[in-house]
Amino acid sequence: MSDAHLNLIDGTWMPGDHLTEIRNPSDLSDLVGHYAAATAGDVDRAVQAARAALPAWQAKGPLARADLLDRVARRIEAEAEEIGRMLAREEGKILSEAIAETRRAAQIFRFFGGEALRIPGEALASVRPGVDIEVTREPIGVIGLITPWNFPAAIPAWKLAPALAFGNAVLLKPAEMVPGTAHLLARIIHEEGCPPGIFNLVMGPGSVVGRAMVAHSDIAAISFTGSAQTGRMIARAGAEGMKKLQLEMGGKNPMLVMDDADLDLAVAACLNGAFFSTGQRCTASSRLIVQAGIHDAFVARLSAEMQALRVGPALDPASQIGPVVSAAQLQSNLDYVALARTEGCEVIGGERVDGPTDGYFQRPALFLNARNAMRVAREEIFGPCAAVIRVGDFDEALAQANDSDYGLSAGICTGSLKQARAFRHGARAGMVMVNLPTAGVDFHVPFGGTKGSSHGSREQGRQAVEFYTTTRTAYSFGG
Ligand code: NDP
């Protein structure tokens, strides 16, 4: 088939055992392409190639790695519009967001190119006279990277770039629904001179390719982003193989709106946090915890602005909210809208709508009069839906915010320094936002959560070195 996109194994494009057809969720008549599904045998071939390539790659030293990442960053930047267009077509993110995400991927590669030359270490005095101790950071070996569909450029980048910067070899398995962006990244990494075997792309279903990676005895570590359910499965299987694990999972992120908040700012932060990217962000503000005094004014403004959002095809510059990623995700979102009613919420929006093309369009939704115990306030929906919970005071708001199985991001809108500070210290989340949406993070600082949201050390920023290296403690006695 002429539009077949193949796996990259040991520097060679390989066919896998069947092709998966990818269609545009904004327009099902638009065929994005056919992508080769790898087999467990392909995973093994890629692992053997990675193992064989590692000694020469590590011998090249950090400058070669820094230069490679810098060249990759430049190419991604130069091709950001083309890659962003692919991202918008396969995932449904509106084009401006898709291009911005692609540029973010370039920035991540550039940042970790610099980090390749700043690998930390320590020299310490020994308790024994005449003995010196050196603690160095060493590559782990072959690492499996398993990524979700909602950030097809940024999440692969924030795993790939540190893995390569610190001297490892990788297998990247993108989500089966969005192989196109990963394929474009793979082509760039390959063409910019990454040695055969150091970077491998293995596309296909998680139940085959991801599972084979997690089970492979020569893969030393797995970095995974995806649902809590899959994360738990990987934790169990990975522990069996004694693998190092980094698992980034879901969120049910609270955004507190206090009586003293700037109403314009609070509405803008919640509109962005809850609905942009069709709510398909692990950091989405999905619980809006609103103090009684501002509640009615806030709800009136937010629902008016939400209803005015233009839902439409990702490539239409007028669209503010793109389609839901798939038929299954749309059905799940609609089921949650129905559940919100059953649980006693007043629902605004949330219905499926026709667009100018045949796509999975849904209006954003607010679930009013929600309570934190409801399923719609406890389970991650991963769509353009936010539950509004009314509270009396700050202490009640903080308690409700923390009453969740998740702890990824948490925000507060307030004019009070005292409340902001109390929230920063009291919120049980990996990321805390004051007068900012819960979603939207920088790439040079740690990313991750607490409780059911994350397991293992943090991604991104200087802290990424924790996961992608292991320490070696060397003792020497000079006599
Ligand atoms: P899934 O857990 O379904 O899939 C994530 C990845 O795991 C995919 O590549 C998938 O492959 C793969 N996979 C599935 N089954 C297995 C298996 N048995 N063994 C190994 N790998 C497997 O999540 P989604 O793709 O649906 O992504 C949405 C989720 O991601 C949301 O819950 C969201 O919260 C979370 N997320 C978390 C972030 C964070 O940093 N905390 C950031 C972004 C998203 P395939 O696609 O082929 O099934």
Side-chain angles (χ1 to χ4, degrees), residues 146-151 155 158 173-177 204-207 210-211 214 224-228 230-231 233-234 248-251 281-282 380 382 408 447 453-454 459:
I146 301 177
T147 55
W149 49 262
N150 63 333
F151 282 92
I155 294 181
W158 81 48
K173 193 214 92 64
E176 201 183 13
M177 279 192 287
S207 55
R211 193 184 290 263
V214 176
F224 161 86
T225 300
S227 62
T230 309
M233 256 160 53
I234 291 179
E248 288 297 344
M249 296 162 287
R281 296 188 282 192
C282 51
E380 183 179 51
F382 222 58
L408 187 56
F447 177 96
S453 291
S454 297
E459 300 207 73

Side-chain angles (χ1 to χ4, degrees), residues 280-293:
Q280 297 174 154
R281 296 188 282 192
C282 51
T283 49
S285 315
S286 45
R287 290 183 294 146
L288 310 181
I289 300 175
V290 187
Q291 201 173 357

